[in-house]
Amino acid sequence: MSRRALRRLRGEQRGQEPLGPGALQFVLHDDDDAEEEGSKRGPGGQRPRGAGKEGVCVNNRFELINIEDLEEGPVLNGERPDCLLTDAVVSGNKRRSQSGGAESKKAGEVADKAAPPEQSNMSGKLRKKKKKQKNKKNSTGEILEHGLEDIDRILERIEDSSGFNRPGPPPLSSKKHVLYVEHRHLNPDTELKRYFGARAVLGEQRPRQRQRVYPKCTWLTTPKSTWPRYTKPGLSMRLLESKKGLSSFAFEHSEEYQQTQHKFLAAVESMEPNNIVVLLQTSPYHVDSLLQLSDACRFQEDQEMARDLVERALYSMECAFHPLFSLTSGTCRLDYRRPENRSFYLALYKQMSFLEKRGCPRTALEFCKLILSLEPDEDPLCMLLLIDHLALRARNYEYLIRLFQEWEAHRNLSQLPNFAFSVPLAYFLLSQQADLPEQELSSAREQASILIRQALTMFPGVLLPLLEYCSMRPDAAVATHRFFGPDAEISQPPALSQLVSLYLGRSHFLWKEPATMSWLEENVREVLQAVDSGDPAVEACESRRKVLYQRAPRNIHRHVVLSEVKEAVAALPPDVTTQSVMGFDPLPPLDTIYSYVRPERLSPVSHGNTIALFFRSLLPNYTMEVCEHVLVSLCHVGSGRAVGLCTSRGFTGASSQPAQETGTCPPETVAATLAPQLSVAP
């Protein structure tokens, strides 16, 4: 690179080179310098403005150029504007005339000492310039933030004075709500990176993220490049009402989405999964079709495809969220009685199940909290039977204890077998941690012992099945005792047996640690001593069991069906097992709120006719458009003629002659009618 190009990169002016050894010596110019002088001359051989004799005489730039002017002024193509150079020369001449020879000598010494290479000088000026620009940006950002804060304060004053509350999440307090969901824990990659490192988890995903063309960023799933291009399927969400800090929302189906929903229901009734595949080719983001096909893939052991379909359904629903709908605040409600909302519940539940099987219990816990926050009072999927298990698996003992302490007063969580045994286990596991103070460890151990004794007294039928699951042989004194013996399991109500089977089938492996078993053994002996001494709490718990667990509600049955725990499913009552359970809507509520009704499908054939049912079994889409209703029967077929009975105004065939209500139909008429369905020529 030539010297002229280097000087342009460094932003230097001719005649402003720093002083150094031999700086005052005359040096012959090379070809590049000659070219530079020629380029600086304008038309007619004149130099450009501002580069006259004064500029040639300047040798010490530290004395003549004001650094503040240098920083504030713009730099164009690596060179300073000529006006700044002229001002600097004039001011430098004034200062030099006033200071005299002593000051010029001092400036010369400073120049000799502080004159680094030219590149470092210019890089220092560039760093100062960038620093000042950054400070300016920060100051403008702070001004914007203060302005936004002032706007928020003004809005809060207006709301306080008018009494109007905006529908949305309340401001976060110092202590987060028990159902508060953290965004970062909704992403399973956050948990996997903690186990395996970011390089192992995101190594293959980073190059592909630049090629994404999806319309928005989502929290529940990460869109994949293999998915079909997203187009709005006709799904939306609207705000129903907002009061007492809670906002109620509901999903809505457009007319086009309703037509797709009707086709989906017809495909489900056909009992053929390929019909759903055909429907997804035209509507790739229809939620119920994705969930139903996901179940079919899961039954065929294609877990990867099943999980991918559920994630696509979640993405479709998240793109339809209302702007005020918040996943994390815990103040947004979705009524499960509306069929449009159930798909979101089921998609979240299926995604949570996949995350748990994938080894991400912390992420599954956040999904569980999200489902519970959508309708915590009714709890349509009965997430309280699962949240304790996920908290223990994620080793989030403090959250489980806090949930129990805050909800025990109004929800009676201790009357559920899972909470009765999981909370003392959480206290015990918390007491095993070495990083806590000794006082807290002893307090947790004492509280764990108290609660496990209450649980064993209330649910004695849990002990022996639990030991059997853990491959532990009970003590002879325990196995033969009337309180913990086989009679305790047989005498408990069926609804309680179902809850116990659900808890043991899901969480029994959490009790297999030797320290846990030793602690359980100590408390079992304490309970036996209390039973033998005639403790009145034992009789009170027995009477409570007979009253509380007469029949399990419908949401518990729905949870058992979704959980697919074999022991709990086997304990379902006959009235649940005998009815058909659809995967896209298991055990719908009896008080369903319909926003639109599926049109009635007129049956083209009579269900009592054997021959019509035969044609119907061969061709599910068999219809007789020529006849308004149905062909009731074919009474007689023989000697080339068919005797028929018609229930409409007439039965027209190839001859276009209406038949009588009771008469004979020529064979070519019947053949012409059935030919389109049988795909044969008459």
Side-chain angles (χ1 to χ4, degrees):
M1 182 179 295
S2 64
R3 295 181 184 179
R4 181 186 63 180
L6 286 174
R7 277 195 289 268
R8 285 187 176 180
L9 287 176
R10 296 167 185 167
E12 299 175 358
Q13 295 287 339
R14 287 189 59 85
Q16 295 185 8
E17 295 82 6
L19 293 177
L24 298 179
Q25 297 178 1
F26 293 96
V27 181
L28 294 176
H29 296 290
D30 56 2
D31 296 337
D32 295 333
D33 294 337
E35 290 178 3
E36 184 178 358
E37 290 182 359
S39 63
K40 285 189 176 181
R41 296 181 183 273
Q46 298 179 358
R47 289 182 178 272
R49 186 178 179 184
K53 295 181 180 180
E54 294 179 348
V56 175
C57 297
V58 174
N59 288 326
N60 188 357
R61 59 178 176 172
F62 296 100
E63 181 182 354
L64 301 180
I65 298 178
N66 191 0
I67 297 178
E68 294 181 358
D69 296 337
L70 179 65
E71 291 175 357
E72 293 177 357
V75 178
L76 299 177
N77 297 326
E79 296 183 359
R80 306 289 304 172
D82 298 332
C83 59
L84 292 179
L85 179 61
T86 306
D87 296 339
V89 170
V90 173
S91 61
N93 291 333
K94 289 182 180 179
R95 287 198 302 271
R96 185 166 51 183
S97 62
Q98 294 175 359
S99 59
E103 192 170 341
S104 61
K105 182 178 180 181
K106 185 177 179 181
E109 293 176 358
V110 171
D112 291 336
K113 293 180 181 178
E118 298 176 0
Q119 188 172 359
S120 61
N121 291 334
M122 296 311 300
S123 63
K125 285 191 281 186
L126 291 175
R127 281 197 298 269
K128 291 180 181 178
K129 183 175 180 65
K130 290 181 179 178
K131 186 176 181 181
K132 189 164 185 178
Q133 290 178 353
K134 187 176 181 181
N135 292 334
K136 288 182 180 179
K137 290 181 180 179
N138 293 337
S139 62
T140 55
E142 292 176 358
I143 292 172
L144 290 175
E145 290 181 0
H146 291 308
L148 293 176
E149 291 178 359
D150 295 338
I151 293 173
D152 292 337
R153 292 195 190 99
I154 293 171
L155 290 176
E156 289 177 1
R157 293 194 194 109
I158 294 174
E159 290 176 2
D160 294 338
S161 60
S162 61
F164 175 74
N165 293 325
R166 288 179 297 172
L172 293 177
S173 60
S174 58
K175 187 176 182 181
K176 295 179 180 179
H177 194 270
V178 71
L179 294 180
Y180 179 82
V181 179
E182 297 185 17
H183 270 152
R184 62 189 182 94
H185 288 303
L186 289 175
N187 188 359
D189 292 340
T190 304
E191 188 171 3
L192 292 174
K193 282 188 288 187
R194 189 176 61 190
Y195 298 149
F196 306 106
R199 187 179 298 274
V201 176
L202 300 177
E204 299 180 357
Q205 299 180 10
R206 286 173 181 169
R208 299 178 183 176
Q209 289 180 354
R210 299 179 180 177
Q211 302 176 0
R212 280 192 344 194
V213 289
Y214 290 91
K216 61 182 294 186
C217 178
T218 55
W219 292 103
L220 296 176
T221 58
T222 302
K224 300 179 181 179
S225 58
T226 57
W227 291 355
R229 185 176 182 84
Y230 178 78
T231 55
K232 293 184 178 180
L235 191 65
S236 61
M237 178 185 283
R238 66 185 177 98
L239 176 64
L240 298 180
E241 62 177 356
S242 179
K243 61 180 181 180
K244 296 181 180 180
L246 301 178
S247 303
S248 299
F249 297 86
F251 283 97
E252 286 186 329
H253 294 171
S254 64
E255 294 184 1
E256 180 182 358
Y257 197 94
Q258 292 178 17
Q259 297 297 327
T260 307
Q261 188 74 12
H262 299 332
K263 295 178 182 177
F264 163 73
L265 296 176
V268 171
E269 292 175 356
S270 67
M271 305 295 289
E272 179 58 47
N274 290 330
N275 294 338
I276 301 178
V277 175
V278 174
L279 179 61
L280 283 175
Q281 291 177 354
T282 57
S283 302
Y285 286 93
H286 182 253
V287 177
D288 286 341
S289 299
L290 292 169
L291 296 179
Q292 188 72 15
L293 189 60
S294 174
D295 289 340
C297 294
R298 186 165 51 86
F299 294 150
Q300 297 177 359
E301 302 297 331
D302 192 354
Q303 301 293 332
E304 187 67 25
M305 178 59 70
R307 183 169 65 249
D308 185 80
L309 293 172
V310 171
E311 290 179 356
R312 201 200 302 181
L314 280 176
Y315 177 76
S316 176
M317 303 197 79
E318 190 171 358
C319 289
F321 280 175
H322 193 275
L324 296 177
F325 184 79
S326 174
L327 292 172
T328 61
S329 63
T331 59
C332 297
R333 301 289 182 263
L334 284 176
D335 194 350
Y336 192 80
R337 294 176 299 174
R338 297 180 178 271
E340 297 86 354
N341 295 340
R342 296 174 197 165
S343 302
F344 188 57
Y345 278 89
L346 297 174
L348 289 175
Y349 188 93
K350 294 177 186 297
Q351 177 71 354
M352 178 192 62
S353 301
F354 284 124
L355 290 171
E356 183 187 3
K357 295 176 182 178
R358 193 181 175 185
C360 301
R362 184 67 181 86
T363 311
L365 176 62
E366 293 299 317
F367 273 83
C368 184
K369 289 161 57 178
L370 175 58
I371 299 173
L372 184 59
S373 67
L374 296 177
E375 199 170 356
D377 295 332
E378 299 296 332
D379 195 8
L381 299 187
C382 214
M383 303 311 297
L384 288 176
L385 298 178
L386 177 62
I387 193 169
D388 61 301
H389 169 76
L390 295 176
L392 289 176
R393 283 202 60 190
R395 299 181 181 179
N396 199 347
Y397 310 128
E398 294 85 355
Y399 174 77
L400 178 58
I401 293 172
R402 180 190 168 196
L403 177 64
F404 178 76
Q405 291 174 350
E406 294 186 11
W407 284 26
E408 168 63 17
H410 65 283
R411 298 297 292 268
N412 293 327
L413 297 182
S414 60
Q415 305 306 310
L416 294 174
N418 58 312
F419 267 93
F421 283 87
S422 294
V423 174
L425 181 59
Y427 271 111
F428 174 75
L429 295 176
L430 191 62
S431 67
Q432 300 296 308
Q433 297 181 357
D435 54 348
L436 295 178
E438 186 65 28
Q439 184 178 359
E440 294 184 9
L441 295 179
S442 59
S443 176
R445 181 69 178 262
E446 182 180 359
Q447 189 69 18
S449 299
I450 294 173
L451 292 177
I452 194 61
R453 292 170 194 167
Q454 295 177 0
L456 290 171
T457 305
M458 183 65 189
F459 307 105
V462 177
L463 180 61
L464 292 184
L466 176 61
L467 296 178
E468 184 178 356
Y469 272 108
C470 297
S471 303
M472 298 291 294
R473 180 173 299 178
D475 193 0
V478 176
T480 58
H481 199 279
R482 59 179 179 83
F483 189 72
F484 287 117
D487 294 338
E489 185 179 359
I490 297 174
S491 61
Q492 60 188 5
L496 180 57
S497 300
Q498 185 176 359
L499 293 176
V500 171
S501 301
L502 181 65
Y503 173 68
L504 294 179
R506 176 181 282 158
S507 305
H508 63 87
F509 63 91
L510 299 174
W511 295 81
K512 287 186 175 182
E513 294 294 331
T516 305
M517 277 295 168
S518 177
W519 165 72
L520 179 62
E521 183 181 0
E522 295 175 3
N523 290 279
V524 167
R525 292 175 181 174
E526 294 290 337
V527 172
L528 286 179
Q529 292 179 4
V531 171
D532 294 337
S533 62
D535 191 348
V538 177
E539 186 177 354
C541 290
E542 183 178 358
S543 61
R544 202 182 307 149
R545 285 196 301 271
K546 295 179 180 179
V547 174
L548 293 178
Y549 307 99
Q550 294 296 325
R551 178 176 176 80
R554 193 173 182 85
N555 60 342
I556 292 182
H557 293 160
R558 189 181 299 119
H559 177 86
V560 171
V561 171
L562 290 173
S563 66
E564 298 180 357
V565 178
K566 297 179 181 179
E567 296 81 3
V569 173
L572 285 172
D575 59 340
V576 177
T577 56
T578 54
Q579 60 179 308
S580 60
V581 178
M582 309 304 295
F584 66 94
D585 190 9
L587 300 179
L590 301 178
D591 54 347
T592 300
I593 301 176
Y594 293 102
S595 58
Y596 63 93
V597 183
R598 182 187 179 190
E600 296 182 1
R601 301 181 65 196
L602 297 176
S603 178
V605 294
S606 175
H607 292 283
N609 189 309
T610 305
I611 299 179
L613 289 177
F614 170 72
F615 285 117
R616 182 69 175 173
S617 63
L618 290 178
L619 304 167
N621 297 325
Y622 165 72
T623 57
M624 296 183 65
E625 298 177 356
V626 179
C627 187
E628 288 185 2
H629 297 289
V630 294
L631 182 65
V632 178
S633 63
L634 293 175
C635 300
H636 177 72
V637 178
S639 64
R641 302 185 66 85
V643 180
L645 184 64
C646 210
T647 60
S648 64
R649 291 172 298 178
F651 190 77
T652 57
S655 60
S656 300
Q657 295 293 332
Q660 301 295 331
E661 286 194 358
T662 56
T664 61
C665 297
E668 60 272 10
T669 301
V670 179
T673 305
L674 299 181
Q677 281 74 33
L678 296 177
S679 299
V680 295

